Amino acid sequence: CSETLWEIAKAEVEKKKSHGSEGNGAEIGEKSVFFIGSKNGGKTTIILRCLDRDEPAKPTLALEYTYGRRTKGHNTPKDIAHFWELGGGTSLLDLISIPITCDSLRTFSVVLVLDLSKPNDLWPTMENLLQATKSHVDKVIMKLGKTNSKAASEMRQRMWSAMQKDHPDRELIDPFPIPLVIIGSKYDIFQDFDPEKRKVICKTLRFVAHYYGASLMFTSKSEALLLKMRGVVNQLAFGIDKSKSICVDQNKPLFITAGLDSLCQIGSPPVPDSDIGKIQAHSPMELWKKVYEKLFPPKSTSTLKAIQDPARDPQYAESEVDEMRVQKDQELEQYKRSSSKTWKQIDLDS
């Protein structure tokens, strides 16, 4: 062989670079999974389980990061999965923009964890988090399109990858811009609900998941369900083969891989036909929302978004820091008052 070791190594690096620029994330070896959802819904527990970490879950204060590694095979580099978790339910939506960037977007996916034991909080939690995430992702895709139009175009096409080309609902849904999995947690509590309530929740979540081109599954402390859930998350994190199984029986934990459901199978919103005509809605999503909230009225928005200031939480108390914080607060108030007087004086002089 006339090539030197240096030339062979250089060619290998160039080959990896060209593969990495294709934007499908398969050769990059790094993926990111963003966990959002209900406060105290079990997001941290799910992450720890997927990473085989046997430690108690602690409350997520704001935005937390951890990572996991997995070996593809003998003498191959380990794949890396970046796990982000947003705490506080719907109260910290501004932090969504931190992990989702132009650099990470092409290998990014979202897991929305919804607490099935609190059905009245379910719709507003889901709606606020998905709308905020989708809005930011759309902005990032537009920004990416200005520098790499091919990558942005591939992302838009990939949104439809889970949906067969001849699927009857292709014109009726609006896939999420990046891979999305919806997990209903605390199924062990949910399974004791009244059958009619379970029916409404199951059908509603099936509609939302199908509309967004997302996978849907219920989980609990059951070992069998945890293994299924772990498989779904590992598919997002490490590209392991996607499951093709499906369970749509409302008397069992739902498990529906993206693209395998249909509006025909889901049926119409669970309300008498005579009442559907009386509900004013501008879209199918709004219709399902009104039907759902009729049975499960949401708590006030202020209650949902309310969160205690961590700086005033007794469990994080530190006397020296707290004293300095009080001093800085006083200085800030004094600055505000003096600034107000200055601007008033300027207005009078002018």
Side-chain angles (χ1 to χ4, degrees), residues 134-151:
K134 186 177 185 299
S135 175
H136 177 68
V137 171
D138 287 341
K139 288 177 184 175
V140 176
I141 291 176
M142 284 184 65
K143 186 178 179 182
L144 180 66
K146 293 176 181 177
T147 56
N148 191 340
S149 58
K150 182 183 177 184

Side-chain angles (χ1 to χ4, degrees), residues 6 9 30 44 52 54 60 113 119 136 176 223 226 248 262 273 281 304 323 345-346:
W6 174 254
E30 290 191 33
T44 305
D52 284 327
D54 186 17
T60 303
V113 180
H136 177 68
F176 209 69
E223 192 63 29
L226 287 172
V248 296
S262 70
D273 292 339
L304 279 171
E323 286 173 11
Q345 186 61 45
I346 291 172

Side-chain angles (χ1 to χ4, degrees), residues 44-302:
T44 305
T45 302
I46 291 173
I47 294 173
L48 292 174
R49 178 73 187 200
C50 292
L51 295 175
D52 284 327
R53 292 184 188 170
D54 186 17
E55 57 187 81
K58 298 176 182 177
T60 303
L61 186 59
L63 183 68
E64 293 193 4
Y65 166 82
T66 188
Y67 68 93
R69 290 177 176 169
R70 182 178 290 268
T71 306
K72 287 180 180 176
H74 185 61
N75 285 337
T76 58
K78 291 183 176 180
D79 285 340
I80 300 174
H82 306 280
F83 291 92
W84 295 87
E85 181 188 356
L86 181 70
T90 59
S91 62
L92 300 168
L93 299 178
D94 291 346
L95 298 181
I96 287 173
S97 62
I98 294 175
I100 306 176
T101 65
C102 286
D103 293 331
S104 66
L105 188 63
R106 283 175 284 172
T107 56
F108 214 94
S109 54
V110 172
V111 175
L112 172 65
V113 180
L114 298 172
D115 188 341
L116 295 174
S117 70
K118 298 177 180 176
N120 296 78
D121 293 345
L122 192 146
W123 188 282
T125 297
M126 173 187 68
E127 184 177 54
N128 288 329
L129 285 168
L130 288 185
Q131 284 183 356
T133 305
K134 186 177 185 299
S135 175
H136 177 68
V137 171
D138 287 341
K139 288 177 184 175
V140 176
I141 291 176
M142 284 184 65
K143 186 178 179 182
L144 180 66
K146 293 176 181 177
T147 56
N148 191 340
S149 58
K150 182 183 177 184
S153 177
E154 286 175 351
M155 284 206 65
R156 292 190 182 97
Q157 291 174 9
R158 204 169 64 201
M159 288 163 52
W160 295 94
S161 60
M163 187 70 62
Q164 294 178 352
K165 290 184 178 180
D166 58 349
H167 197 291
D169 300 336
R170 278 184 73 91
E171 302 298 321
L172 303 171
I173 65 171
D174 184 17
F176 209 69
I178 54 179
L180 171 66
V181 171
I182 300 176
I183 296 179
S185 65
K186 303 185 183 179
Y187 177 77
D188 48 333
I189 300 173
F190 172 78
Q191 65 184 348
D192 293 329
F193 279 16
D194 174 79
E196 279 304 309
K197 289 185 176 181
R198 286 206 314 269
K199 177 182 176 182
V200 172
I201 296 170
C202 287
K203 289 190 70 170
T204 301
L205 286 179
R206 282 179 64 188
F207 170 79
V208 171
H210 184 59
Y211 181 82
Y212 283 122
S215 294
L216 171 66
M217 67 170 300
F218 289 174
T219 191
S220 69
K221 297 175 182 176
S222 156
E223 192 63 29
L225 291 180
L226 287 172
L227 282 172
K228 273 192 168 186
M229 175 273 303
R230 180 176 170 174
V232 170
V233 175
N234 279 342
Q235 191 277 322
L236 297 175
F238 300 106
I240 296 168
D241 290 343
K242 187 183 291 187
S243 170
K244 295 291 184 183
S245 63
I246 183 168
C247 176
V248 296
D249 186 348
Q250 69 187 47
N251 296 311
K252 297 178 181 178
L254 296 183
F255 189 96
I256 308 167
T257 303
L260 297 186
D261 213 342
S262 70
L263 295 176
C264 180
Q265 289 177 309
I266 296 167
S268 58
V271 65
D273 292 339
S274 58
D275 291 345
I276 283 190
K278 300 175 184 176
I279 301 173
Q280 292 186 341
H282 296 96
S283 67
M285 184 66 76
E286 188 180 356
L287 176 63
W288 279 85
K289 175 182 179 179
K290 290 191 173 183
V291 170
Y292 183 86
E293 291 187 341
K294 191 173 182 180
L295 182 60
F296 301 107
K299 296 177 183 176
S300 66
T301 309
S302 58

